[in-house]
Amino acid sequence: MVLKFLDRLEDPNNPLLGPTVLALRYGGLWQKDRVKHFLYNLVHFIAFLFVVSQYVELWIIRKNLEMAMRNLSLTMLSTVCVFKACNLMLWQNSWKELIDYVSELERSQLSKNDPVVNKIISDYVKYARRVTYLYWALVTATVVTVILAPLFIYLSSPNYQESIKNGSAPYPEIMSSWTPFDRSRGLGFCGATLYQMLACFYGGTVVANFDSTAVVIMTFFTGQLKVLSVNCERLFGDGNELVDYDEAVKRITECHLHHYYMVKFSSVLNSLLSPVLFLYVIICSLMICASAVQLTTEGTGNMQRIWIAEYLMALIAQLFLYCWHSNDVLYMSNKVDDGVYSSAWWSQNVRIRRSLLLLGGQLRRPIIFTAGPFTLLNMATFVAILKGSYSYYTLLAKKDD
């Protein structure tokens, strides 16, 4: 049943990005129809108002440290969600150009029926599917946990239930946000809860679609660098193949253009992701620290600890996905020129060898993704963020002692 559903997500026009493009369309982040365009934008605007209401509530409860930290942990994540949605909406043409390049290149390569290239494409497509579906499952689990956490907290604490019955405590909330009516009882509570549930689903949809699309395209660049390396290695066969000058120049030119367009579109992807990831890296550093403090606070109940632990795991998983796959692209871009020197270059004349040297020099240009203008997006950055968050946590812990 599940496999049949997943098969329906495939699109021959988008060999790699079929499921993600379909998810973007159904999520209102890939718009064509004018009527749907208006309705989807209305949803995005309502989500923006919800984030504003979270900041208003944060200002109101700023003196209560425990409530403020819980509000802040979700408000920051909501801010990133809206920022990601705006990125996809405002720069949709750039995203479309990038996705069209990915799909057109793969269709062109698959049509040549080269078994080596087809195997590389098949391998990274399968890997991308596993990452996408597992990440969607993680985001779904996080959304469900956030929505059900207040219910579990209520059921797990008899004292809290008694406090609610006698009116000394409000009903538990999914998220802390300001409303112009009393949301602690009756219809006001039901309306605020419904609004917060829809906001959770909206945020989960945006995060799942944006992150999976970005990570899958990073996987594409890693796979295509492998294809380029293999093509460079096979430029002149095993050395016994007779390759005339025109054919050799044609093959070198194809490798040159392949790398040129990868560098060009990786720059497009970086320009789209860098502002978002810069904001996310800052927020993630703060939220990992805040979540760790909440986990070790004595007043935090067991169900709250489970909710915070799952939320913390989702934060780290998002950051890890970006850093890991960006690091893979950088690693492959640094070794792609090995294919030139592994080829049968010695079988060619001096003119071809000079062209090969130029090609090898061009292939040494690395493909790097950044989080803003200050840091590279790689595993070293990931480890540095975790170390920094731990340092902030130990500082706060000592202050509390």
Side-chain angles (χ1 to χ4, degrees), residues 4-33:
K4 288 183 179 179
F5 172 74
L6 295 179
D7 287 339
R8 292 179 181 177
L9 301 179
E10 300 295 335
D11 182 2
N13 293 322
N14 298 289
L16 175 65
L17 292 165
T20 52
V21 169
L22 190 63
L24 287 172
R25 287 174 181 167
Y26 283 116
L29 301 167
W30 198 262
Q31 301 178 359
K32 291 183 179 180
D33 186 85

Side-chain angles (χ1 to χ4, degrees), residues 3 59 75 80 182 254 288 321 323 326 346 364 389:
L3 293 177
W59 175 256
T75 300
V80 176
D182 181 16
E254 288 176 352
I288 290 175
L321 274 178
C323 292
S326 176
W346 42 266
R364 294 190 66 182
S389 298

Side-chain angles (χ1 to χ4, degrees), residues 135-187:
Y135 186 69
W136 286 357
L138 174 63
V139 173
T140 302
T142 303
V143 170
V144 171
T145 302
V146 170
I147 291 175
L148 296 181
L151 177 61
F152 289 142
I153 292 171
Y154 173 80
L155 295 176
S156 64
S157 176
N159 293 333
Y160 186 44
Q161 294 177 28
E162 186 63 29
S163 299
I164 292 175
K165 289 179 182 178
N166 61 33
S168 60
Y171 284 108
E173 292 182 306
I174 296 174
M175 290 186 285
S176 177
S177 62
W178 176 82
T179 55
F181 51 81
D182 181 16
R183 66 180 190 278
S184 61
R185 290 289 188 277
L187 292 177

Side-chain angles (χ1 to χ4, degrees), residues 14 18 30 93 95 106 131 136 156 159 169 189 226 247 267 290 302 324 342 356 366 379 401:
N14 298 289
W30 198 262
N93 290 336
W95 280 103
E106 288 178 335
V131 170
W136 286 357
S156 64
N159 293 333
F189 173 77
K226 292 179 182 177
E247 179 62 23
S267 297
N302 291 330
W324 178 270
S342 299
L356 278 177
M379 289 306 297
D401 294 339

Side-chain angles (χ1 to χ4, degrees), residues 331-361:
Y331 173 76
M332 278 304 304
S333 68
N334 284 331
K335 62 175 293 188
V336 68
D337 62 320
D338 291 350
V340 173
Y341 305 110
S342 299
S343 68
W345 56 267
W346 42 266
S347 65
Q348 301 302 305
N349 58 40
V350 175
R351 293 177 66 189
I352 296 299
R353 292 181 189 179
R354 288 173 180 169
S355 298
L356 278 177
L357 283 175
L358 293 174
L359 176 63

Side-chain angles (χ1 to χ4, degrees), residues 116-136:
V116 177
V117 173
N118 286 6
K119 177 68 167 54
I120 295 174
I121 294 176
S122 176
D123 286 345
Y124 75 69
V125 167
K126 290 178 181 177
Y127 173 78
R129 292 291 182 275
R130 289 195 294 268
V131 170
T132 299
Y133 297 147
L134 287 174
Y135 186 69
W136 286 357

Side-chain angles (χ1 to χ4, degrees), residues 91-109:
W91 286 278
Q92 181 170 317
N93 290 336
S94 296
W95 280 103
K96 187 177 186 303
E97 182 184 11
L98 179 60
I99 290 174
D100 287 345
Y101 162 72
V102 171
S103 299
E104 288 174 8
L105 179 59
E106 288 178 335
R107 289 199 304 267
S108 174
Q109 291 171 336

Side-chain angles (χ1 to χ4, degrees), residues 196-245:
Q196 292 168 6
M197 288 177 62
L198 294 175
C200 285
F201 285 121
Y202 171 84
T205 301
V206 172
V207 168
N209 289 341
F210 185 93
D211 292 346
S212 60
T213 301
V215 168
V216 167
I217 294 177
M218 287 182 180
T219 302
F220 162 81
F221 284 113
T222 303
Q224 286 299 316
L225 287 168
K226 292 179 182 177
V227 171
L228 177 58
S229 182
V230 168
N231 287 339
C232 289
E233 190 174 343
R234 300 186 302 173
L235 277 171
F236 314 111
D238 57 2
N240 296 320
E241 179 183 349
L242 182 61
V243 181
D244 60 27
Y245 177 79

